[in-house]
Amino acid sequence: MVSTASPSGELPAKSKRADAVRNQQTLLTAAAAVFVTSGVDAPIREIATRAGVGMGTIYRHFPTRADLVVAVYRHQVEACAEAGPALLAATDSPFEAFRQWVDLFVDFLVTKHGLANAMQSDSSGFAALHAYFLDRLGPVCVRMLDAAVEAGEVTPGIQAYELMRGIGNLCAGRDGDPRYDPRTLVALLLRGLRPD
Amino acid sequence: MVSTASPSGELPAKSKRADAVRNQQTLLTAAAAVFVTSGVDAPIREIATRAGVGMGTIYRHFPTRADLVVAVYRHQVEACAEAGPALLAATDSPFEAFRQWVDLFVDFLVTKHGLANAMQSDSSGFAALHAYFLDRLGPVCVRMLDAAVEAGEVTPGIQAYELMRGIGNLCAGRDGDPRYDPRTLVALLLRGLRPD
DNA sequence: TGACAAAGCGGAACGACGTTCCGTATCGTA
DNA sequence: TACGATACGGAACGTCGTTCCGCTTTGTCA
């Protein structure tokens, strides 16, 4: 499970040594850089080397791989989560708002090398990653979907959880294949939500 | 790339030593059994042990992991491929035939522990697996989709390749989650294919 | 039938990786 | 400045994929 003890990545809660906070920042920066070039499942050693720290340091700050990934992308996930209600308020059609929100989500996933793949991986410390995304974004999705259903723009009976996972899954796979555009498939999926 | 030299898994082409053919069969049986319990990415050693052979033997018969997986599932993939034209001929509505064919495909994927995951994995020797499935099943999909479009039952402009990958992706992910049923999502996707 | 070359076999060995653990260095404080 | 707490580095261990080579089995030919 992703460490819930502290909002790691944000303001240090209390009494942490100076070098510790410094290292945590260094690690986040290094990890972000490495994720771009080598994907989120890059070797731990690579991140450690890049940050100029030992491997023990990584494990102390981020016990599981998911903790590190979550910390790196926390801001963007947060932004996405907050965009939901905003879109809902700013748009006449709840479905259209939902469509735009999904676009945001998809953009996020496809621009992060291998993130979508990692989320469905059963192994490693990636299980927690899956949980984090769904915990944070799931409720937003529920709310938007409900609104769309209530407005008669979406067939009732669809589970938000299932839908989110479906969208996530569609964004996974070998990236860079010009013959496969996740957006096309997601659009098709959303089309299937419409009532007759 | 999956070895195309011989139709490995079927009739031995020519002049193979008796122990070699025997081992190849033993390996296929052992691999099939291991795949069921440990998934298609089970350790090579586990398969070797189960078959009672050395690891060199595995690599000689099946140079890449994909070669082994393909050999194990060849019959089922073949059956799926052949079911396409049959369904098309036996059903009035090409779309309905397609729907049933997709059901077959999905059933195959979800019953094989981790197969769908493996197919989108970028690493290992799994890249060839992806290619094999698409090469064999792709043309069938094209044909069925064309028929459905021609009958006015499906919106034109959808690429069969993209659709197959989408379906495959939807079947991937942590298996055994009661909250996620790939069939629901695939049904939604197919719904999105219908014209207004 | 008895050898001999080719074909195949087994598993040791190597490198990459995740993860743990502990002796040492650094920090904050009294 | 001295000392305990905190954090650090990286060696070490286990797992896994993959290669390589000395040994065994097989088929054949005299």
Side-chain angles (χ1 to χ4, degrees), chain B residues 141-173:
Chain B
C141 185
V142 168
R143 187 168 147 200
M144 301 194 78
L145 212 51
D146 278 353
V149 168
E150 198 148 338
E153 294 182 323
V154 159
T155 304
I158 282 101
Q159 297 301 314
Y161 173 82
E162 228 165 14
L163 189 53
M164 287 212 58
R165 279 209 37 189
I167 293 169
N169 274 7
L170 287 178
C171 295

mmCIF file of all heavy atoms in Angstrom, chain B residues 141-173:
data_model
loop_
_atom_site.group_PDB
_atom_site.id
_atom_site.type_symbol
_atom_site.label_atom_id
_atom_site.label_comp_id
_atom_site.label_asym_id
_atom_site.label_seq_id
_atom_site.Cartn_x
_atom_site.Cartn_y
_atom_site.Cartn_z
ATOM 1 N N CYS B 141 -10.376 -10.550 -38.624
ATOM 2 C CA CYS B 141 -11.100 -9.392 -38.089
ATOM 3 C C CYS B 141 -11.434 -8.411 -39.206
ATOM 4 O O CYS B 141 -12.551 -7.905 -39.287
ATOM 5 C CB CYS B 141 -10.252 -8.721 -37.011
ATOM 6 S SG CYS B 141 -11.084 -7.363 -36.179
ATOM 7 N N VAL B 142 -10.471 -8.164 -40.048
ATOM 8 C CA VAL B 142 -10.692 -7.248 -41.175
ATOM 9 C C VAL B 142 -11.909 -7.698 -41.986
ATOM 10 O O VAL B 142 -12.810 -6.915 -42.283
ATOM 11 C CB VAL B 142 -9.455 -7.202 -42.101
ATOM 12 C CG1 VAL B 142 -9.791 -6.501 -43.410
ATOM 13 C CG2 VAL B 142 -8.307 -6.505 -41.404
ATOM 14 N N ARG B 143 -11.921 -8.972 -42.285
ATOM 15 C CA ARG B 143 -12.982 -9.490 -43.142
ATOM 16 C C ARG B 143 -14.365 -9.353 -42.501
ATOM 17 O O ARG B 143 -15.325 -8.937 -43.124
ATOM 18 C CB ARG B 143 -12.697 -10.972 -43.439
ATOM 19 C CG ARG B 143 -13.664 -11.531 -44.455
ATOM 20 C CD ARG B 143 -13.237 -12.884 -44.972
ATOM 21 N NE ARG B 143 -14.394 -13.710 -45.284
ATOM 22 C CZ ARG B 143 -14.358 -15.024 -45.384
ATOM 23 N NH1 ARG B 143 -13.218 -15.667 -45.177
ATOM 24 N NH2 ARG B 143 -15.450 -15.708 -45.666
ATOM 25 N N MET B 144 -14.433 -9.687 -41.223
ATOM 26 C CA MET B 144 -15.723 -9.612 -40.541
ATOM 27 C C MET B 144 -16.193 -8.171 -40.412
ATOM 28 O O MET B 144 -17.366 -7.860 -40.568
ATOM 29 C CB MET B 144 -15.621 -10.261 -39.160
ATOM 30 C CG MET B 144 -15.188 -11.714 -39.225
ATOM 31 S SD MET B 144 -15.442 -12.590 -37.663
ATOM 32 C CE MET B 144 -17.206 -12.914 -37.721
ATOM 33 N N LEU B 145 -15.227 -7.308 -40.116
ATOM 34 C CA LEU B 145 -15.555 -5.896 -39.941
ATOM 35 C C LEU B 145 -16.040 -5.311 -41.267
ATOM 36 O O LEU B 145 -17.036 -4.569 -41.312
ATOM 37 C CB LEU B 145 -14.325 -5.154 -39.440
ATOM 38 C CG LEU B 145 -14.570 -3.959 -38.524
ATOM 39 C CD1 LEU B 145 -15.503 -4.345 -37.392
ATOM 40 C CD2 LEU B 145 -13.262 -3.444 -37.975
ATOM 41 N N ASP B 146 -15.349 -5.653 -42.330
ATOM 42 C CA ASP B 146 -15.758 -5.179 -43.655
ATOM 43 C C ASP B 146 -17.188 -5.586 -43.952
ATOM 44 O O ASP B 146 -17.988 -4.782 -44.428
ATOM 45 C CB ASP B 146 -14.822 -5.763 -44.730
ATOM 46 C CG ASP B 146 -13.537 -4.959 -44.839
ATOM 47 O OD1 ASP B 146 -13.456 -3.903 -44.177
ATOM 48 O OD2 ASP B 146 -12.628 -5.376 -45.577
ATOM 49 N N ALA B 147 -17.486 -6.850 -43.674
ATOM 50 C CA ALA B 147 -18.836 -7.349 -43.936
ATOM 51 C C ALA B 147 -19.874 -6.551 -43.151
ATOM 52 O O ALA B 147 -20.926 -6.184 -43.676
ATOM 53 C CB ALA B 147 -18.919 -8.824 -43.576
ATOM 54 N N ALA B 148 -19.540 -6.286 -41.893
ATOM 55 C CA ALA B 148 -20.486 -5.551 -41.048
ATOM 56 C C ALA B 148 -20.664 -4.117 -41.543
ATOM 57 O O ALA B 148 -21.772 -3.574 -41.533
ATOM 58 C CB ALA B 148 -20.002 -5.559 -39.598
ATOM 59 N N VAL B 149 -19.582 -3.514 -41.974
ATOM 60 C CA VAL B 149 -19.666 -2.153 -42.509
ATOM 61 C C VAL B 149 -20.524 -2.147 -43.774
ATOM 62 O O VAL B 149 -21.405 -1.307 -43.950
ATOM 63 C CB VAL B 149 -18.259 -1.589 -42.815
ATOM 64 C CG1 VAL B 149 -18.358 -0.304 -43.635
ATOM 65 C CG2 VAL B 149 -17.499 -1.335 -41.523
ATOM 66 N N GLU B 150 -20.262 -3.123 -44.615
ATOM 67 C CA GLU B 150 -20.990 -3.200 -45.883
ATOM 68 C C GLU B 150 -22.485 -3.372 -45.650
ATOM 69 O O GLU B 150 -23.302 -2.879 -46.413
ATOM 70 C CB GLU B 150 -20.446 -4.378 -46.700
ATOM 71 C CG GLU B 150 -20.807 -4.290 -48.179
ATOM 72 C CD GLU B 150 -19.707 -4.917 -49.041
ATOM 73 O OE1 GLU B 150 -18.555 -5.014 -48.550
ATOM 74 O OE2 GLU B 150 -20.006 -5.311 -50.168
ATOM 75 N N ALA B 151 -22.802 -4.087 -44.579
ATOM 76 C CA ALA B 151 -24.225 -4.302 -44.262
ATOM 77 C C ALA B 151 -24.816 -3.097 -43.540
ATOM 78 O O ALA B 151 -25.972 -3.111 -43.140
ATOM 79 C CB ALA B 151 -24.373 -5.551 -43.411
ATOM 80 N N GLY B 152 -24.002 -2.081 -43.354
ATOM 81 C CA GLY B 152 -24.497 -0.873 -42.707
ATOM 82 C C GLY B 152 -24.697 -1.040 -41.217
ATOM 83 O O GLY B 152 -25.398 -0.261 -40.576
ATOM 84 N N GLU B 153 -24.062 -2.055 -40.646
ATOM 85 C CA GLU B 153 -24.255 -2.300 -39.217
ATOM 86 C C GLU B 153 -23.144 -1.719 -38.364
ATOM 87 O O GLU B 153 -23.192 -1.787 -37.132
ATOM 88 C CB GLU B 153 -24.354 -3.815 -38.962
ATOM 89 C CG GLU B 153 -25.590 -4.439 -39.572
ATOM 90 C CD GLU B 153 -25.667 -5.922 -39.254
ATOM 91 O OE1 GLU B 153 -24.613 -6.593 -39.236
ATOM 92 O OE2 GLU B 153 -26.776 -6.416 -39.008
ATOM 93 N N VAL B 154 -22.140 -1.218 -39.018
ATOM 94 C CA VAL B 154 -21.009 -0.642 -38.287
ATOM 95 C C VAL B 154 -20.540 0.617 -39.002
ATOM 96 O O VAL B 154 -20.484 0.655 -40.242
ATOM 97 C CB VAL B 154 -19.848 -1.656 -38.190
ATOM 98 C CG1 VAL B 154 -18.522 -0.955 -37.928
ATOM 99 C CG2 VAL B 154 -20.113 -2.680 -37.087
ATOM 100 N N THR B 155 -20.235 1.620 -38.214
ATOM 101 C CA THR B 155 -19.709 2.872 -38.776
ATOM 102 C C THR B 155 -18.406 2.607 -39.523
ATOM 103 O O THR B 155 -17.529 1.932 -38.996
ATOM 104 C CB THR B 155 -19.421 3.880 -37.642
ATOM 105 O OG1 THR B 155 -20.604 4.076 -36.893
ATOM 106 C CG2 THR B 155 -18.921 5.194 -38.208
ATOM 107 N N PRO B 156 -18.283 3.102 -40.727
ATOM 108 C CA PRO B 156 -17.026 2.897 -41.472
ATOM 109 C C PRO B 156 -15.896 3.703 -40.826
ATOM 110 O O PRO B 156 -16.142 4.609 -40.035
ATOM 111 C CB PRO B 156 -17.338 3.450 -42.873
ATOM 112 C CG PRO B 156 -18.775 3.831 -42.868
ATOM 113 C CD PRO B 156 -19.239 3.924 -41.464
ATOM 114 N N GLY B 157 -14.670 3.338 -41.196
ATOM 115 C CA GLY B 157 -13.527 4.134 -40.753
ATOM 116 C C GLY B 157 -12.772 3.562 -39.587
ATOM 117 O O GLY B 157 -11.768 4.120 -39.166
ATOM 118 N N ILE B 158 -13.282 2.462 -39.051
ATOM 119 C CA ILE B 158 -12.550 1.858 -37.925
ATOM 120 C C ILE B 158 -11.494 0.881 -38.435
ATOM 121 O O ILE B 158 -11.782 0.049 -39.294
ATOM 122 C CB ILE B 158 -13.522 1.133 -36.966
ATOM 123 C CG1 ILE B 158 -14.222 2.158 -36.087
ATOM 124 C CG2 ILE B 158 -12.756 0.176 -36.067
ATOM 125 C CD1 ILE B 158 -15.593 2.456 -36.544
ATOM 126 N N GLN B 159 -10.303 0.985 -37.917
ATOM 127 C CA GLN B 159 -9.230 0.079 -38.303
ATOM 128 C C GLN B 159 -9.317 -1.208 -37.492
ATOM 129 O O GLN B 159 -9.387 -1.171 -36.263
ATOM 130 C CB GLN B 159 -7.871 0.734 -38.062
ATOM 131 C CG GLN B 159 -7.644 1.980 -38.896
ATOM 132 C CD GLN B 159 -7.732 1.685 -40.390
ATOM 133 O OE1 GLN B 159 -7.160 0.711 -40.872
ATOM 134 N NE2 GLN B 159 -8.489 2.508 -41.108
ATOM 135 N N ALA B 160 -9.276 -2.323 -38.190
ATOM 136 C CA ALA B 160 -9.379 -3.619 -37.512
ATOM 137 C C ALA B 160 -8.227 -3.806 -36.520
ATOM 138 O O ALA B 160 -8.422 -4.311 -35.408
ATOM 139 C CB ALA B 160 -9.377 -4.751 -38.530
ATOM 140 N N TYR B 161 -7.062 -3.401 -36.934
ATOM 141 C CA TYR B 161 -5.902 -3.545 -36.074
ATOM 142 C C TYR B 161 -6.115 -2.836 -34.738
ATOM 143 O O TYR B 161 -5.929 -3.407 -33.666
ATOM 144 C CB TYR B 161 -4.664 -2.967 -36.759
ATOM 145 C CG TYR B 161 -3.444 -2.910 -35.884
ATOM 146 C CD1 TYR B 161 -2.649 -4.030 -35.704
ATOM 147 C CD2 TYR B 161 -3.095 -1.739 -35.210
ATOM 148 C CE1 TYR B 161 -1.535 -3.988 -34.895
ATOM 149 C CE2 TYR B 161 -1.983 -1.690 -34.388
ATOM 150 C CZ TYR B 161 -1.207 -2.807 -34.232
ATOM 151 O OH TYR B 161 -0.117 -2.774 -33.419
ATOM 152 N N GLU B 162 -6.555 -1.611 -34.846
ATOM 153 C CA GLU B 162 -6.784 -0.815 -33.645
ATOM 154 C C GLU B 162 -7.835 -1.476 -32.755
ATOM 155 O O GLU B 162 -7.669 -1.582 -31.541
ATOM 156 C CB GLU B 162 -7.248 0.585 -34.049
ATOM 157 C CG GLU B 162 -6.512 1.688 -33.345
ATOM 158 C CD GLU B 162 -6.716 3.029 -34.017
ATOM 159 O OE1 GLU B 162 -7.624 3.165 -34.852
ATOM 160 O OE2 GLU B 162 -5.941 3.955 -33.690
ATOM 161 N N LEU B 163 -8.879 -1.943 -33.383
ATOM 162 C CA LEU B 163 -9.971 -2.554 -32.637
ATOM 163 C C LEU B 163 -9.498 -3.815 -31.914
ATOM 164 O O LEU B 163 -9.790 -4.018 -30.730
ATOM 165 C CB LEU B 163 -11.109 -2.898 -33.602
ATOM 166 C CG LEU B 163 -12.416 -3.345 -32.953
ATOM 167 C CD1 LEU B 163 -12.867 -2.335 -31.921
ATOM 168 C CD2 LEU B 163 -13.482 -3.547 -34.021
ATOM 169 N N MET B 164 -8.744 -4.637 -32.592
ATOM 170 C CA MET B 164 -8.257 -5.865 -31.967
ATOM 171 C C MET B 164 -7.358 -5.566 -30.787
ATOM 172 O O MET B 164 -7.433 -6.202 -29.734
ATOM 173 C CB MET B 164 -7.484 -6.698 -32.987
ATOM 174 C CG MET B 164 -8.355 -7.364 -34.005
ATOM 175 S SD MET B 164 -7.611 -8.912 -34.507
ATOM 176 C CE MET B 164 -7.480 -9.773 -32.966
ATOM 177 N N ARG B 165 -6.501 -4.594 -30.972
ATOM 178 C CA ARG B 165 -5.622 -4.231 -29.866
ATOM 179 C C ARG B 165 -6.426 -3.682 -28.707
ATOM 180 O O ARG B 165 -6.132 -3.955 -27.541
ATOM 181 C CB ARG B 165 -4.589 -3.208 -30.317
ATOM 182 C CG ARG B 165 -3.432 -3.858 -31.037
ATOM 183 C CD ARG B 165 -2.160 -3.083 -30.873
ATOM 184 N NE ARG B 165 -1.979 -2.484 -29.553
ATOM 185 C CZ ARG B 165 -1.019 -1.636 -29.273
ATOM 186 N NH1 ARG B 165 -0.170 -1.280 -30.211
ATOM 187 N NH2 ARG B 165 -0.912 -1.144 -28.058
ATOM 188 N N GLY B 166 -7.434 -2.904 -29.040
ATOM 189 C CA GLY B 166 -8.279 -2.363 -27.995
ATOM 190 C C GLY B 166 -8.936 -3.482 -27.202
ATOM 191 O O GLY B 166 -8.914 -3.487 -25.963
ATOM 192 N N ILE B 167 -9.496 -4.435 -27.909
ATOM 193 C CA ILE B 167 -10.139 -5.567 -27.243
ATOM 194 C C ILE B 167 -9.134 -6.331 -26.394
ATOM 195 O O ILE B 167 -9.390 -6.662 -25.236
ATOM 196 C CB ILE B 167 -10.795 -6.497 -28.290
ATOM 197 C CG1 ILE B 167 -11.952 -5.769 -28.964
ATOM 198 C CG2 ILE B 167 -11.258 -7.783 -27.642
ATOM 199 C CD1 ILE B 167 -12.496 -6.479 -30.193
ATOM 200 N N GLY B 168 -7.988 -6.581 -26.976
ATOM 201 C CA GLY B 168 -6.930 -7.270 -26.226
ATOM 202 C C GLY B 168 -6.570 -6.500 -24.963
ATOM 203 O O GLY B 168 -6.451 -7.079 -23.880
ATOM 204 N N ASN B 169 -6.412 -5.215 -25.104
ATOM 205 C CA ASN B 169 -6.063 -4.387 -23.949
ATOM 206 C C ASN B 169 -7.120 -4.476 -22.857
ATOM 207 O O ASN B 169 -6.799 -4.554 -21.675
ATOM 208 C CB ASN B 169 -5.902 -2.934 -24.379
ATOM 209 C CG ASN B 169 -4.501 -2.640 -24.874
ATOM 210 O OD1 ASN B 169 -3.689 -3.545 -25.015
ATOM 211 N ND2 ASN B 169 -4.223 -1.394 -25.143
ATOM 212 N N LEU B 170 -8.373 -4.449 -23.265
ATOM 213 C CA LEU B 170 -9.441 -4.486 -22.276
ATOM 214 C C LEU B 170 -9.420 -5.787 -21.477
ATOM 215 O O LEU B 170 -9.893 -5.840 -20.349
ATOM 216 C CB LEU B 170 -10.805 -4.309 -22.958
ATOM 217 C CG LEU B 170 -11.089 -2.890 -23.453
ATOM 218 C CD1 LEU B 170 -12.432 -2.832 -24.161
ATOM 219 C CD2 LEU B 170 -11.052 -1.893 -22.299
ATOM 220 N N CYS B 171 -8.866 -6.822 -22.073
ATOM 221 C CA CYS B 171 -8.825 -8.117 -21.388
ATOM 222 C C CYS B 171 -7.622 -8.246 -20.465
ATOM 223 O O CYS B 171 -7.488 -9.229 -19.729
ATOM 224 C CB CYS B 171 -8.806 -9.251 -22.398
ATOM 225 S SG CYS B 171 -10.320 -9.350 -23.353
ATOM 226 N N ALA B 172 -6.744 -7.270 -20.534
ATOM 227 C CA ALA B 172 -5.540 -7.352 -19.715
ATOM 228 C C ALA B 172 -5.793 -6.825 -18.309
ATOM 229 O O ALA B 172 -6.893 -6.420 -17.986
ATOM 230 C CB ALA B 172 -4.421 -6.569 -20.369
ATOM 231 N N GLY B 173 -4.770 -6.879 -17.514
ATOM 232 C CA GLY B 173 -4.899 -6.349 -16.171
ATOM 233 C C GLY B 173 -4.932 -7.429 -15.127
ATOM 234 O O GLY B 173 -5.001 -8.612 -15.432
#
